[in-house]
Structure formats: C-alpha cells, structure tokens
C-alpha cells in the first residue's frame, strides 16, 4: 500500500522510522530517541487518520503535534531532557570519553554510525560557508548536507563516522537570516563581489533596505503607523455621565459638562430656596374702603 515508513531524502535530519533508533533533536541541541507510538493502546479516537498513516500498521505513528510523523523527541536510558543536552558541560560522563564527546555552550549533536547522537564542539564559519566540528582535538569540516566524515576517537583507539547535519539547520544565520523577515526573497545561488563562494542572500523588496535579513524595512500595513499624529481622542460619553460625576467625583476631575450641570443644579437649588422662603413672607394688609355715608358724617 506504499506505507512502508521509508524516509524521503528531504526529511533526513528531522524524522525517523524506528523506535529503537537514536539521533538528535531537530535543533541539534539534544540527544534523543525516535518517538513512535502505538495508538491502538489508546483507543480508536486516537488513531491516525488515513491521510496521515505512514506505516503498514495504521496504528503506528509519531506525535499528533507532528501530524503523526515520528521525530527524535523522546528521552531514553532513564535520563531527562536536561541530562541529554549537549550544551550543558556537566552532562559529560565516563562513557562519553570513549567517543571523545565534548559538552558545552558551543557543542551540538551529530548523528553517527553507532546509531546514536554524539555531542561535539562545533563552529559555523561564515566566511568559508561551512561547519567545523572538533573530535578528540582535531577539526573536521562539513562542507555539504549529510556529508560522511571518518573521525578518530580516544586518541585514535577507535573510529566512527559522523554524519554532518543539514547546514541550514545547524547554522541558520549563514543563510537568509530569519527567512528575510518576510520582507524579501532568499536567493540561494547569490554571488556577491566579496564572496568566494555562492551563498544564500536576502533580496529585499525594499531596494533601500541593505540589511542582511531585510529587518530595516518598515511595512505600514494598517497595524503599524509611522507616527501617532493621525490619532485623536474621541471620547464618547452618555448624556447623564457628567451629571453623575457631580455627585461621585472630586471637582478637580470634573469636565466642562460636569461644571455646567453643577451650575444648573445650583440655580435650581436657589430657586427652590426662594420659593420656600416666599411662602413664609407676611402679606400686606389691604386698607378697607370707608363707606361714603361715614365720610359725609365726618364732615
């Protein structure tokens, strides 16, 4: 059915197909074992879908997060991930001496014919566009992906074959840094005036951007603006919010609308006081008119 678990060439260095195999993590920082899972032990709901089945046994596959592709991502020999980290110098033990392994800040994992990853000190050489690894005090050069190098270990007592990693995987900044930041095209066969060999180089969409990763290009796509001059405050308030502020906020924080409400309330308050007070004012006595016959009698 075509599902034989064979690894295509483009997947080398990332995927594996045997649970017993040991190699290196995709970042080349750790020794790792191949992660293969029998999903029949987890129930039917966990089975790989038909389009993501790579082995004759449909229930066999890698992690779900990797679309069921087996990857080097499992610890082994009772060690945790930190103890398999090539960058931690204290991980060195007596067995590693046999293979002249070296742990430390500049070490990375290399696959070997011993079916296991080994830690060796390595340096990316930008000018020569290659990777060098140090085994038992001698430097060896990786000039191309998956190059096989015969090395001697333990002062020549043993020998093994080291498989060079994918150079873009081990030394990504020698290629187009950060994939040209999405603002340029990676030209893999570029030959500059000062380059002795053809090497990948970013061709930025903005011709004025001469940075190695096109990081100086500023894309104004709506989310980013050149400055904040076009941004103005648009305060939306409810009609009664300034009135409420008169009762709950300190006068120092009142807006013009709040002061207008306060003035209006003060005027209403004064009118109410006047109305109340006027109801208690005494009325003037009206003079009764003197009857006409009384006026004549007085005369």
């Amino acid at each position: 059915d075509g599902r034989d678990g064979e690894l295509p060439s483009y997947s080398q260095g990332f995927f594996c197909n045997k649970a017993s195999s040991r190699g290196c993590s995709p970042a080349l920082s750790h020794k790792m074992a191949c992660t293969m899972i029998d999903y029949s032990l987890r129930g039917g709901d966990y089975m790989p879908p038909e389009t993501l089945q790579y082995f004759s046994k449909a229930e066999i596959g890698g992690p779900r997060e990797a679309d069921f592709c087996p990857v080097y991502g499992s610890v082994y020999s009772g060690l945790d991930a930190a103890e398999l980290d090539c960058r931690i110098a204290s991980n060195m033990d007596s067995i590693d001496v046999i293979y002249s392994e070296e742990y430390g800040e500049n070490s990375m994992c290399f696959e070997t014919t011993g079916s296991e990853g080994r830690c060796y000190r390595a340096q990316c050489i930008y000018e020569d566009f290659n990777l060098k690894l140090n085994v038992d005090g001698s430097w060896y050069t990786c000039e191309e992906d998956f190059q096989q190098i015969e090395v001697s270990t333990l002062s020549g007592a043993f020998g093994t074959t080291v498989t060079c990693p994918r150079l873009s995987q081990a030394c990504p900044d020698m290629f187009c840094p950060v994939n040209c930041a999405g603002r340029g095209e990676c030209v893999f066969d570029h030959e500059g005036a000062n380059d002795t060999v053809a090497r990948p180089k970013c061709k930025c969409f903005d011709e004025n951007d001469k940075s190695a990763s096109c990081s100086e290009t500023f894309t104004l796509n709506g989310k980013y603006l050149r400055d904040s001059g076009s941004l103005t405050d648009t305060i939306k308030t409810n009609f009664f919010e300034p009135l409420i502020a008169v009762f709950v906020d300190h006068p120092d924080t009142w807006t013009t609308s709040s002061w207008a409400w306060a003035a209006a309330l003060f005027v209403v308050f004064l009118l109410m006081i006047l109305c109340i007070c006027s109801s208690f004012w005494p009325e003037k006595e009206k003079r009764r008119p003197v009857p006409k016959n009384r006026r004549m009698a007085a005369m």
Side-chain angles (χ1 to χ4, degrees), residues 3 26 43 45 77 88 109-110 113 129 133 138 183 197 210 237 254-255 264 273:
R3 299 190 179 97
D45 294 339
S77 298
I88 301 177
C109 183
F110 291 83
T113 51
F129 200 62
L133 68 149
S138 298
R183 302 180 181 121
V197 294
K210 303 301 181 182
T237 59
W254 288 359
T255 62
I273 294 297

Side-chain angles (χ1 to χ4, degrees), residues 6-7 29 51 55 64 68 71 73 78 103 107 110 121 132 135 160 177 183 203-204 212 218 232 239 243 294:
E6 183 178 354
L7 291 174
S29 57
T51 55
F55 299 90
R64 294 169 63 91
F68 300 95
V71 295
Y103 291 76
S107 294
F110 291 83
R121 185 156 60 101
K132 288 185 176 292
V135 182
T160 188
R183 302 180 181 121
K203 181 180 180 182
C204 303
F218 193 73
T232 57
F239 179 75
L243 173 60
R294 287 186 179 183

